[in-house]
Amino acid sequence: MLRSLIGLVFSLAFAAAVQADVFRCSDAEGNAVFSDTPCGENAQSIQLRDNRIGGRFDQNLPTPEAAAPEPQEKAGKPTEEESEPETCRFINSTDLRRYLIREQVVEGMTREHVRSAFGNPPETYGGPQEVWIYQTRYYGALYELTYVYFKDGCVERVEYRKP
């Protein structure tokens, strides 16, 4: 009984030492080398993100400043030269995973999200508006065409059409 209690105390005392620092150094050829001990004069300590399953509920939420729309100083719509490309609509990680598993594309996704859901597009068209066209086939016959329209790198709309 006493031995198990002493073992428990020692294990709790050294539990904090288990999480080691990670250091990044450069070798003679300029390649990055990672180590749990400082590996030279140029060693940089790296802070690793928590990669345990679960995480936190607020991990993927935008900051409150980014979520609030900024008031526009000028009346009317700015010209194309003045406007900067906007970021895509925020899609929380749970919904995004659900869309990707179901192979769905929704407004606000990025090009990478569309590639994850549908794969590489067989047809693409640039021009004033970028369009990716996907084909759905059943038993070898063309069943449906899916048009994905992008604006500033984000999905603006998705249209499904019969051929």
Side-chain angles (χ1 to χ4, degrees):
M1 173 76 175
L2 184 60
R3 282 187 185 175
S4 62
L5 183 60
I6 292 173
L8 178 66
V9 169
F10 278 118
S11 64
L12 290 176
F14 293 114
V18 171
Q19 184 165 351
D21 292 331
V22 176
F23 296 92
R24 177 183 178 158
C25 302
S26 298
D27 63 1
E29 299 171 359
N31 298 326
V33 177
F34 297 95
S35 174
D36 58 349
T37 59
C39 42
E41 301 85 35
N42 61 351
Q44 298 173 345
S45 179
I46 296 176
Q47 183 69 18
L48 298 177
R49 292 180 59 191
D50 185 14
N51 65 350
R52 290 176 287 181
I53 296 175
R56 299 186 326 259
F57 288 118
D58 63 346
Q59 202 166 22
N60 295 326
L61 294 178
T63 59
E65 297 83 31
E70 296 180 8
Q72 291 187 357
E73 295 177 9
K74 296 181 181 180
K77 192 174 183 180
T79 63
E80 265 186 55
E81 299 164 355
E82 296 173 357
S83 65
E84 296 179 7
E86 298 177 12
T87 59
C88 296
R89 177 179 71 95
F90 176 75
I91 303 172
N92 72 38
S93 61
T94 303
D95 290 339
L96 181 61
R97 281 189 295 254
R98 186 178 301 124
Y99 293 138
L100 296 178
I101 289 169
R102 292 179 182 170
E103 297 179 352
Q104 289 180 312
V105 173
V106 296
E107 180 183 330
M109 284 184 162
T110 63
R111 290 182 182 98
E112 291 79 28
H113 296 151
V114 175
R115 281 193 182 99
S116 296
F118 284 171
N120 288 326
E123 292 182 58
T124 60
Y125 296 99
Q129 185 170 29
E130 185 178 3
V131 180
W132 291 3
I133 302 174
Y134 292 91
Q135 299 176 356
T136 304
R137 295 183 175 271
Y138 287 117
Y139 301 107
L142 183 60
Y143 176 74
E144 187 176 58
L145 294 172
T146 305
Y147 291 78
V148 181
Y149 295 91
F150 290 93
K151 181 178 183 182
D152 297 329
C154 304
V155 174
E156 183 180 36
R157 70 180 192 273
V158 180
E159 292 180 3
Y160 299 94
R161 300 180 190 168
K162 296 292 180 183

